[in-house]
Amino acid sequence: MPEISILKDDDEIIAGSYRFKCVSTPGHSLGHTCLYEPDKKILVAGDHILIDITPNIQCWSDDHNPLQNYLASLDKVNDMEIDLVLPGHRRPITDHKTRIAELKDHHERRLREVLSLLGDDPRTAYQVASRDDVGS
């Protein structure tokens, strides 16, 4: 049976002429990791950056802030030299900085929407989601 090990930030995976660096990108899930090939400027992004849909940000406990982690992970990847992003779904991305800006803007707009729905009165998530004007 092959040995199994958990990959960490900066670990390397060599596949043929490719030398991928592991980039920890929590947010979509706690252990999400992208693979970056710096010589070829390729990022295998999984569900971290998707071209025309927003990745699901999963919250499994109150011990973590997955949206904060996701936004920090976007900043981390934004600073990298990347010519081609290979996402886990849909089409490749050739302008990661623009797509990251769009994703961050999306989350900012959604946050403002939720805050406006909450108003000054405390509400449960069910009460907010049950409102007729949510998402309109």
Side-chain angles (χ1 to χ4, degrees):
M1 178 177 259
E3 183 180 327
I4 296 174
S5 61
I6 303 296
L7 297 170
K8 299 178 298 302
D9 220 15
D10 294 324
D11 282 353
E12 283 192 340
I13 298 174
I14 299 171
S17 65
Y18 294 86
R19 187 177 211 96
F20 291 101
K21 176 182 162 187
C22 294
V23 181
S24 176
T25 52
H28 168 67
S29 63
L30 189 56
H32 193 280
T33 299
C34 294
L35 300 176
Y36 177 56
E37 214 305 347
D39 294 335
K40 296 176 177 39
K41 297 181 180 166
I42 297 171
L43 182 75
V44 180
D47 285 349
H48 184 54
I49 305 171
L50 303 171
I51 191 156
D52 58 359
I53 56 177
T54 305
N56 175 32
I57 308 304
Q58 298 178 14
C59 186
W60 294 96
S61 75
D62 291 338
D63 296 335
H64 303 282
N65 185 335
L67 182 56
Q68 182 180 35
N69 292 341
Y70 179 67
L71 296 172
S73 294
L74 287 176
D75 288 339
K76 181 178 184 179
V77 170
N78 191 61
D79 295 336
M80 300 169 75
E81 291 186 41
I82 298 169
D83 290 337
L84 181 64
V85 176
L86 300 173
H89 306 275
R90 306 203 185 201
R91 299 178 312 282
I93 301 165
T94 56
D95 183 357
H96 75 292
K97 290 181 183 287
T98 296
R99 184 60 186 142
I100 287 172
E102 292 168 351
L103 289 166
K104 290 176 76 172
D105 181 63
H106 163 80
H107 286 289
E108 180 62 33
R109 283 184 284 121
R110 294 293 291 169
L111 175 61
R112 285 194 309 268
E113 180 182 0
V114 168
L115 289 173
S116 73
L117 291 170
L118 290 174
D120 294 329
D121 300 323
R123 290 189 175 90
T124 66
Y126 176 80
Q127 289 169 323
V128 171
S130 297
R131 290 193 43 179
D132 291 336
D133 57 345
V134 172
S136 58

